[in-house]
């Protein structure tokens, strides 16, 4: 959803024009002056040419009133923030849309606060389709008043914005959400290969399951569109999903929660990354389930 510029946010700076960041920054550029930086500069130059954003060197991004980052991992955000530290301006708000790690993000927030910069963790859900449509769900941790100040910025790429708690809470919700995605995907895959061996084609099994209580986003969308078609299009890599599930394990540890099912999902995804590599689509994890069962989901 696009929104009109709010008076105290004249310029936005976007860091990280990947599969998610590029369309998010395009929505921002349609609404207000938007500076863009990407580690691979040619990507930012192409974004500027296509969407009317302005490509800047890293230090140039500090001119913005609100910084939005969407990098792979928290360690990448910490590294970029360290390189940018000398140029940061007091009063800046840093909205981190990376699916990140709560504890190092709290440390980063404290470091940024020394420069007068307020950090919000604001990971997103909805995939590349949601980013392109500007309908992402954004789960925000940090100061609620600061969120209200920058909400018009976030609204440019969001369909829903939920304040979920203090700094790190957004990352924690995202990690648990994606662990549920992984659990549903893997469990549906195990069920479907067993049904295929029992003589039930995937399309028939899914017709029943998706009208019944065993359905999930995996059974309704991911498996029919990506697995049954054998296309496995790479929009969200297995490596990034495994990263999220690993972060969730830290959340479980911090809570002192046994959570045997969710921990098992983390183990399985780690095996899948070892066997298939991190760059395949996350749904390709079911190729491992198929290999173990000796049956394809078709
Ligand atoms: P991509 O791999 O497509 O893009 C990653 C971006 O991060 C690129 O701009 C890349 O720059 C940059 N980057 C990576 N490492 C560094 C570094 N060390 N320093 C500076 N920049 C770096 O990932 P996505 O866009 O898919 O994902 C981004 C975030 O959003 C992740 O945290 C992911 O988990 C999350 N996410 C992804 C979804 C999806 O469907 N894809 C859905 C929801 C959340 P360069 O171009 O130079 O490589």
């Amino acid at each position: 959803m696009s929104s009109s510029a709010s008076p105290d946010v004249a310029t936005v700076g976007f860091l990280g024009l990947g599969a998610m960041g590029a369309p998010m920054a395009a929505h921002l550029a349609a609404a207000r002056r938007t500076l863009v930086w990407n580690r691979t500069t040619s990507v930012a130059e192409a974004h500027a040419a296509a969407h009317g954003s302005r490509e800047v060197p890293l230090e140039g991004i500090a001119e913005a009133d609100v910084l939005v980052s969407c990098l792979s991992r928290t360690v990448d955000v910490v590294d970029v923030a360290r390189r940018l530290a000398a140029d940061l301006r007091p009063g800046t708000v840093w909205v981190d849309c990376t699916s990140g790690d709560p504890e190092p993000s709290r440390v980063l927030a404290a470091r940024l606060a020394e420069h007068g910069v307020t950090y919000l963790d604001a990971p997103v859900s909805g995939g590349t389709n949601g980013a392109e449509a500007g309908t992402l769900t954004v789960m925000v941790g940090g100061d609620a008043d600061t969120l209200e100040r920058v909400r018009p910025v976030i609204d440019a790429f969001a369909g829903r914005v939920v304040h979920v708690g203090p700094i790190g809470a957004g990352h924690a919700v995202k990690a648990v959400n994606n662990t549920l995605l992984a659990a549903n995907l893997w469990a549906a895959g195990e069920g479907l290969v067993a049904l295929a061996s029992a003589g039930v084609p995937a399309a028939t099994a899914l017709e029943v399951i998706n009208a019944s209580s065993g359905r999930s986003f995996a059974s309704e969308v991911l498996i029919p569109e990506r697995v049954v078609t054998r296309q496995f299009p790479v929009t969200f890599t297995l490596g990034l999903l495994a990263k999220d599930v690993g972060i969730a394990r830290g959340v479980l540890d911090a809570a002192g929660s046994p959570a045997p099912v969710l921990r098992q999902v983390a183990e399985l995804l780690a095996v899948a990354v070892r066997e298939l590599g991190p760059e395949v689509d996350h749904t390709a994890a079911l190729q491992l389930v198929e290999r173990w069962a000796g049956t394809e989901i078709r």
Side-chain angles (χ1 to χ4, degrees), residues 146-178:
T146 304
L147 168 59
E148 288 318 308
R149 258 184 62 210
V150 301
R151 192 183 275 268
V153 172
I154 298 175
D155 276 345
F157 51 78
R160 183 185 296 257
V161 181
V162 184
H163 183 249
V164 294
I167 293 168
H171 288 327
V173 173
K174 176 66 187 176
V176 169
N177 176 78
N178 277 21

Side-chain angles (χ1 to χ4, degrees), residues 45 48 72 103 105 126 136 151 163 173 178 188-189 230 275 278 288:
E45 288 167 350
S72 302
E103 185 47 33
S105 296
L136 293 170
R151 192 183 275 268
H163 183 249
V173 173
N178 277 21
R230 313 312 293 173
E275 293 288 319
L288 195 59

Side-chain angles (χ1 to χ4, degrees), residues 15-21 37-41 43 70-73 75-77 79-80 83 97-100 124-128 136 174 178 235-237 240-241 243-244:
L15 302 124
L17 301 168
M20 293 299 286
W37 175 84
N38 194 72
R39 178 179 59 178
T40 307
T41 306
V43 173
C70 192
L71 306 180
S72 302
R73 295 168 165 77
V75 67
D76 307 320
V77 183
D79 182 53
V80 167
R83 291 166 57 197
C97 294
T98 307
S99 298
V124 300
S125 180
T128 51
L136 293 170
K174 176 66 187 176
N178 277 21
T235 66
F236 178 43
T237 65
L240 287 177
L241 179 59
K243 173 259 303 178
D244 295 336

Side-chain angles (χ1 to χ4, degrees), residues 62-283:
E63 183 205 321
D65 306 295
V66 175
L67 297 173
V68 183
S69 51
C70 192
L71 306 180
S72 302
R73 295 168 165 77
T74 292
V75 67
D76 307 320
V77 183
V78 169
D79 182 53
V80 167
R82 181 187 54 74
R83 291 166 57 197
L84 201 49
D87 298 294
L88 289 171
R89 296 184 310 126
T92 305
V93 179
W94 189 314
V95 179
D96 182 18
C97 294
T98 307
S99 298
D101 201 334
E103 185 47 33
S105 296
R106 283 189 279 270
V107 174
L108 171 63
R111 269 196 216 132
L112 290 173
E114 291 167 10
H115 296 270
V117 175
T118 306
Y119 174 92
L120 299 174
D121 50 309
V124 300
S125 180
T128 51
N129 287 342
E132 271 148 32
T135 57
L136 293 170
T137 297
V138 187
M139 51 219 92
V140 184
D143 180 61
D145 292 338
T146 304
L147 168 59
E148 288 318 308
R149 258 184 62 210
V150 301
R151 192 183 275 268
V153 172
I154 298 175
D155 276 345
F157 51 78
R160 183 185 296 257
V161 181
V162 184
H163 183 249
V164 294
I167 293 168
H171 288 327
V173 173
K174 176 66 187 176
V176 169
N177 176 78
N178 277 21
T179 306
L180 296 177
L181 157 68
N184 290 334
L185 178 67
W186 197 287
E190 288 186 354
L192 289 172
V193 291
L195 289 172
S197 298
V200 185
T204 308
L206 287 169
E207 184 183 349
V208 175
I209 290 166
N210 288 336
S212 305
S213 46
R215 68 186 183 273
S216 62
F217 182 70
S219 70
E220 289 183 316
V221 177
L222 295 175
I223 293 174
E225 291 183 1
R226 298 178 183 226
V227 180
V228 175
T229 59
R230 313 312 293 173
Q231 286 179 347
F232 306 101
V234 185
T235 66
F236 178 43
T237 65
L238 180 60
L240 287 177
L241 179 59
K243 173 259 303 178
D244 295 336
V245 175
I247 292 170
R249 196 156 44 176
V251 173
L252 299 172
D253 289 344
S257 170
V261 172
L262 300 186
R263 288 177 195 279
Q264 186 66 48
V265 172
E267 296 296 326
L268 291 167
L269 279 206
V271 173
V273 170
R274 275 203 299 279
E275 293 288 319
L276 304 166
E279 297 302 332
V280 296
D281 191 62
H282 63 299
T283 54

